[in-house]
Amino acid sequence: MSSENTAPVPSGTAADSPFRHESVRRDEAPQFVLPLVVHLEKTAPPARTDALETAARAVLVMLSDARSLGEGEWAQAMRDWQDARIRKVVRRARGAEWRKASALPGLTVTGKSAEVRVFPPVPLDGWPKELAKLQVSGTELDDPEPPADPDPTRPVLWMSPDVDMSAGKAMAQAGHGAQLAWWELSAAAREEWREAGFPLAVRTAARDQWAALTASGLPVVRDAGFTEIAPGSCTVVADHPALRR
Protein backbone atom coordinates (compact mmCIF):
# COMPACT_ATOMS: atom_id res chain seq x y z
CA MET A 1 0.00 0.00 0.00
CA SER A 2 1.80 3.22 0.87
CA SER A 3 4.46 4.51 3.17
CA GLU A 4 3.64 7.54 5.22
CA ASN A 5 5.39 10.23 7.15
CA THR A 6 4.18 13.27 8.98
CA ALA A 7 5.57 16.19 10.93
CA PRO A 8 2.82 17.35 13.28
CA VAL A 9 3.55 19.08 16.57
CA PRO A 10 0.49 19.07 18.86
CA SER A 11 -0.40 22.43 20.31
CA GLY A 12 -1.69 21.21 23.67
CA THR A 13 0.26 18.04 24.31
CA ALA A 14 -0.43 15.83 27.31
CA ALA A 15 2.22 15.43 29.98
CA ASP A 16 3.61 12.21 28.52
CA SER A 17 3.82 13.43 24.94
CA PRO A 18 7.27 13.03 23.44
CA PHE A 19 7.11 16.65 22.38
CA ARG A 20 7.36 17.80 25.99
CA HIS A 21 11.16 17.83 25.56
CA GLU A 22 12.06 20.95 23.64
CA SER A 23 15.60 19.68 23.14
CA VAL A 24 14.46 16.78 20.99
CA ARG A 25 15.25 17.41 17.34
CA ARG A 26 12.94 15.02 15.54
CA ASP A 27 14.80 15.10 12.26
CA GLU A 28 18.15 14.46 13.92
CA ALA A 29 16.93 11.60 16.10
CA PRO A 30 17.22 8.00 14.80
CA GLN A 31 14.20 7.36 12.61
CA PHE A 32 11.79 4.52 13.31
CA VAL A 33 8.59 3.41 11.61
CA LEU A 34 5.38 1.84 12.89
CA PRO A 35 4.48 -1.08 10.59
CA LEU A 36 0.84 -1.87 9.88
CA VAL A 37 -0.28 -4.78 7.72
CA VAL A 38 -3.78 -5.06 6.32
CA HIS A 39 -5.19 -8.52 5.61
CA LEU A 40 -6.20 -8.38 1.97
CA GLU A 41 -7.47 -11.50 0.25
CA LYS A 42 -8.25 -11.06 -3.45
CA THR A 43 -11.76 -12.48 -3.13
CA ALA A 44 -12.83 -10.47 -0.08
CA PRO A 45 -11.14 -7.06 0.21
CA PRO A 46 -12.30 -4.85 3.09
CA ALA A 47 -14.29 -1.69 2.53
CA ARG A 48 -12.08 1.38 2.31
CA THR A 49 -13.66 3.33 5.17
CA ASP A 50 -13.62 0.31 7.44
CA ALA A 51 -9.92 -0.24 6.64
CA LEU A 52 -9.14 3.39 7.53
CA GLU A 53 -11.08 3.18 10.79
CA THR A 54 -9.48 -0.13 11.73
CA ALA A 55 -5.99 1.20 11.06
CA ALA A 56 -6.68 4.23 13.26
CA ARG A 57 -7.93 2.03 16.08
CA ALA A 58 -4.89 -0.25 15.68
CA VAL A 59 -2.59 2.72 16.31
CA LEU A 60 -4.55 3.63 19.43
CA VAL A 61 -4.49 0.05 20.70
CA MET A 62 -0.70 -0.02 20.27
CA LEU A 63 -0.25 3.36 22.00
CA SER A 64 -2.32 2.28 25.00
CA ASP A 65 -1.09 -1.30 25.37
CA ALA A 66 0.72 -2.03 28.64
CA ARG A 67 3.72 -3.33 26.69
CA SER A 68 4.10 0.12 25.09
CA LEU A 69 4.15 1.99 28.41
CA GLY A 70 6.54 2.42 31.31
CA GLU A 71 8.95 -0.49 31.40
CA GLY A 72 6.96 -2.63 28.97
CA GLU A 73 8.78 -4.71 26.38
CA TRP A 74 7.84 -2.34 23.55
CA ALA A 75 8.16 0.89 25.53
CA GLN A 76 11.68 1.87 24.47
CA ALA A 77 10.90 1.29 20.80
CA MET A 78 7.74 3.37 21.19
CA ARG A 79 9.70 6.20 22.82
CA ASP A 80 12.38 6.10 20.14
CA TRP A 81 9.72 6.21 17.44
CA GLN A 82 7.77 9.09 18.98
CA ASP A 83 10.91 11.14 19.61
CA ALA A 84 11.40 11.24 15.84
CA ARG A 85 8.80 11.64 13.11
CA ILE A 86 5.80 9.40 13.67
CA ARG A 87 6.29 7.47 10.46
CA LYS A 88 3.84 4.71 9.60
CA VAL A 89 3.97 2.26 6.72
CA VAL A 90 0.97 0.21 5.63
CA ARG A 91 1.56 -3.01 3.70
CA ARG A 92 -0.76 -5.77 2.58
CA ALA A 93 -0.67 -9.53 3.07
CA ARG A 94 -2.79 -12.53 2.24
CA GLY A 95 -2.69 -16.27 2.77
CA ALA A 96 0.65 -17.55 4.04
CA GLU A 97 2.05 -13.99 4.14
CA TRP A 98 -0.65 -12.95 6.59
CA ARG A 99 -0.11 -16.05 8.74
CA LYS A 100 3.63 -15.37 8.94
CA ALA A 101 3.04 -11.72 9.79
CA SER A 102 0.50 -12.70 12.45
CA ALA A 103 3.12 -14.86 14.16
CA LEU A 104 5.34 -11.84 14.85
CA PRO A 105 4.90 -9.81 18.07
CA GLY A 106 2.12 -7.31 17.55
CA LEU A 107 -1.61 -6.71 17.88
CA THR A 108 -4.44 -7.51 15.47
CA VAL A 109 -7.48 -5.23 15.34
CA THR A 110 -10.61 -6.16 13.44
CA GLY A 111 -13.37 -4.01 12.01
CA LYS A 112 -16.55 -4.90 10.16
CA SER A 113 -14.66 -6.26 7.17
CA ALA A 114 -11.07 -5.18 7.80
CA GLU A 115 -8.27 -6.80 9.76
CA VAL A 116 -5.10 -4.85 10.54
CA ARG A 117 -2.06 -6.00 12.49
CA VAL A 118 0.20 -3.37 14.05
CA PHE A 119 3.74 -4.10 15.17
CA PRO A 120 6.17 -2.37 17.55
CA PRO A 121 8.26 0.29 15.79
CA VAL A 122 11.34 -0.81 13.87
CA PRO A 123 14.31 1.16 12.46
CA LEU A 124 13.78 2.40 8.91
CA ASP A 125 16.34 -0.10 7.65
CA GLY A 126 15.61 -2.85 10.19
CA TRP A 127 12.34 -4.45 9.08
CA PRO A 128 11.72 -8.12 9.96
CA LYS A 129 12.09 -10.20 6.81
CA GLU A 130 8.48 -11.37 7.04
CA LEU A 131 7.33 -7.76 6.72
CA ALA A 132 10.06 -6.34 4.50
CA LYS A 133 8.96 -8.45 1.53
CA LEU A 134 5.31 -7.41 1.70
CA GLN A 135 3.96 -5.06 -0.95
CA VAL A 136 3.52 -1.38 -0.21
CA SER A 137 1.77 0.01 -3.28
CA GLY A 138 -0.69 -1.05 -5.90
CA THR A 139 -3.83 -1.77 -3.91
CA GLU A 140 -7.00 0.27 -3.96
CA LEU A 141 -10.08 -0.22 -1.82
CA ASP A 142 -13.62 1.00 -2.36
CA ASP A 143 -16.72 1.45 -0.27
CA PRO A 144 -19.60 -0.65 -1.62
CA GLU A 145 -21.93 2.17 -0.57
CA PRO A 146 -21.39 5.66 0.87
CA PRO A 147 -20.70 5.58 4.62
CA ALA A 148 -23.42 6.91 6.90
CA ASP A 149 -23.14 10.28 8.59
CA PRO A 150 -20.94 9.98 11.69
CA ASP A 151 -22.30 10.07 15.23
CA PRO A 152 -21.59 13.66 16.41
CA THR A 153 -20.99 12.44 19.97
CA ARG A 154 -18.06 10.25 18.89
CA PRO A 155 -14.60 11.07 17.57
CA VAL A 156 -14.36 11.73 13.84
CA LEU A 157 -11.19 11.82 11.76
CA TRP A 158 -12.00 14.22 8.94
CA MET A 159 -10.03 13.57 5.77
CA SER A 160 -9.21 16.38 3.38
CA PRO A 161 -11.55 16.68 0.38
CA ASP A 162 -8.71 18.21 -1.64
CA VAL A 163 -5.99 15.54 -1.36
CA ASP A 164 -6.20 12.28 -3.30
CA MET A 165 -4.54 9.39 -1.50
CA SER A 166 -4.14 5.68 -2.04
CA ALA A 167 -5.83 3.41 0.48
CA GLY A 168 -2.55 2.71 2.28
CA LYS A 169 -1.63 6.39 2.46
CA ALA A 170 -5.06 7.24 3.83
CA MET A 171 -4.83 4.44 6.41
CA ALA A 172 -1.54 5.83 7.66
CA GLN A 173 -2.94 9.36 7.74
CA ALA A 174 -5.96 8.20 9.74
CA GLY A 175 -3.52 6.61 12.18
CA HIS A 176 -1.67 9.92 12.49
CA GLY A 177 -4.92 11.74 13.23
CA ALA A 178 -5.88 9.26 15.93
CA GLN A 179 -2.42 9.58 17.47
CA LEU A 180 -2.55 13.38 17.59
CA ALA A 181 -5.94 13.23 19.30
CA TRP A 182 -4.56 10.72 21.81
CA TRP A 183 -1.61 12.97 22.64
CA GLU A 184 -3.84 15.93 23.37
CA LEU A 185 -6.38 14.13 25.56
CA SER A 186 -6.29 14.11 29.33
CA ALA A 187 -5.54 10.83 31.11
CA ALA A 188 -9.21 10.51 32.06
CA ALA A 189 -10.39 11.09 28.51
CA ARG A 190 -7.87 8.59 27.18
CA GLU A 191 -9.04 5.92 29.62
CA GLU A 192 -12.68 6.55 28.78
CA TRP A 193 -11.92 6.18 25.07
CA ARG A 194 -9.89 3.03 25.63
CA GLU A 195 -12.53 1.39 27.81
CA ALA A 196 -15.14 2.09 25.13
CA GLY A 197 -13.02 0.25 22.55
CA PHE A 198 -11.80 3.37 20.74
CA PRO A 199 -14.99 4.16 18.80
CA LEU A 200 -14.31 6.52 15.90
CA ALA A 201 -15.35 7.33 12.38
CA VAL A 202 -13.31 8.35 9.35
CA ARG A 203 -15.08 10.56 6.85
CA THR A 204 -14.12 12.94 4.06
CA ALA A 205 -15.04 16.49 4.97
CA ALA A 206 -17.21 18.60 2.71
CA ARG A 207 -15.23 21.32 0.99
CA ASP A 208 -17.29 24.04 2.64
CA GLN A 209 -16.41 22.74 6.13
CA TRP A 210 -12.74 21.88 5.59
CA ALA A 211 -11.38 25.42 6.07
CA ALA A 212 -13.31 25.78 9.32
CA LEU A 213 -12.04 22.43 10.56
CA THR A 214 -8.38 23.26 9.90
CA ALA A 215 -8.79 26.59 11.70
CA SER A 216 -10.76 25.18 14.63
CA GLY A 217 -7.84 24.47 16.96
CA LEU A 218 -8.33 20.71 16.67
CA PRO A 219 -5.26 18.56 15.89
CA VAL A 220 -4.28 18.75 12.22
CA VAL A 221 -2.03 16.31 10.37
CA ARG A 222 0.37 18.03 7.99
CA ASP A 223 2.17 15.62 5.71
CA ALA A 224 5.94 15.72 5.47
CA GLY A 225 5.79 15.08 1.73
CA PHE A 226 7.85 11.89 1.52
CA THR A 227 5.25 10.06 -0.59
CA GLU A 228 2.34 10.88 -2.90
CA ILE A 229 1.47 14.43 -1.83
CA ALA A 230 3.12 17.81 -1.39
CA PRO A 231 4.89 18.56 1.91
CA GLY A 232 2.83 20.57 4.35
CA SER A 233 -0.50 19.35 2.96
CA CYS A 234 -3.23 19.25 5.61
CA THR A 235 -4.70 15.77 5.37
CA VAL A 236 -6.67 15.01 8.55
CA VAL A 237 -8.39 16.92 11.34
CA ALA A 238 -8.95 14.90 14.52
CA ASP A 239 -12.32 15.92 15.97
CA HIS A 240 -12.62 14.32 19.41
CA PRO A 241 -15.50 15.61 21.58
CA ALA A 242 -13.12 16.15 24.52
CA LEU A 243 -11.01 18.50 22.38
CA ARG A 244 -13.75 20.67 20.98
CA ARG A 245 -13.36 24.28 22.04
Side-chain angles (χ1 to χ4, degrees):
M1 298 195 128
S2 85
S3 61
E4 175 56 29
N5 307 277
T6 193
V9 179
S11 60
T13 53
D16 62 345
S17 166
F19 292 107
R20 69 188 183 283
H21 300 299
E22 293 182 2
S23 62
V24 171
R25 298 292 298 271
R26 290 176 297 119
D27 288 329
E28 296 177 2
Q31 298 295 308
F32 287 74
V33 61
L34 188 77
L36 297 103
V37 175
V38 58
H39 187 189
L40 190 61
E41 299 292 342
K42 286 184 177 180
T43 57
R48 181 183 174 99
T49 295
D50 188 42
L52 269 59
E53 292 172 349
T54 304
R57 287 195 296 114
V59 171
L60 292 166
V61 169
M62 175 58 76
L63 287 167
S64 62
D65 191 272
R67 288 165 288 185
S68 298
L69 305 172
E71 300 303 318
E73 62 184 288
W74 300 337
Q76 186 59 55
M78 292 292 286
R79 286 191 289 269
D80 290 342
W81 169 58
Q82 292 179 94
D83 278 345
R85 291 181 180 267
I86 55 170
R87 298 175 183 239
K88 299 176 181 72
V89 171
V90 179
R91 298 188 173 186
R92 67 181 189 270
R94 65 173 185 265
E97 293 174 334
W98 174 256
R99 291 190 291 273
K100 289 178 181 178
S102 297
L104 297 176
L107 298 160
T108 297
V109 176
T110 58
K112 296 175 182 176
S113 60
E115 196 171 14
V116 175
R117 189 163 180 84
V118 58
F119 304 87
V122 297
L124 280 176
D125 58 354
W127 283 68
K129 63 180 181 180
E130 295 88 348
L131 303 182
K133 64 183 180 181
L134 297 178
Q135 294 295 314
V136 178
S137 60
T139 299
E140 283 304 326
L141 300 174
D142 297 310
D143 284 314
E145 57 186 40
D149 290 340
D151 183 340
T153 67
R154 291 189 170 188
V156 182
L157 303 175
W158 293 106
M159 309 294 290
S160 170
D162 301 319
V163 180
D164 291 328
M165 293 180 279
S166 67
K169 180 85 169 179
M171 289 171 69
Q173 293 286 343
H176 294 327
Q179 186 166 358
L180 294 195
W182 177 258
W183 276 344
E184 293 214 16
L185 289 173
S186 67
R190 287 180 178 182
E191 183 60 18
E192 182 180 355
W193 200 12
R194 186 190 67 79
E195 288 186 350
F198 294 120
L200 57 84
V202 177
R203 298 291 187 271
T204 299
R207 282 190 166 83
D208 59 1
Q209 73 176 132
W210 182 242
L213 282 168
T214 56
S216 66
L218 292 167
V220 180
V221 177
R222 292 178 173 85
D223 191 72
F226 288 89
T227 62
E228 293 195 26
I229 60 179
S233 299
C234 296
T235 57
V236 183
V237 174
D239 181 9
H240 191 291
L243 299 178
R244 292 170 187 161
R245 297 167 172 84

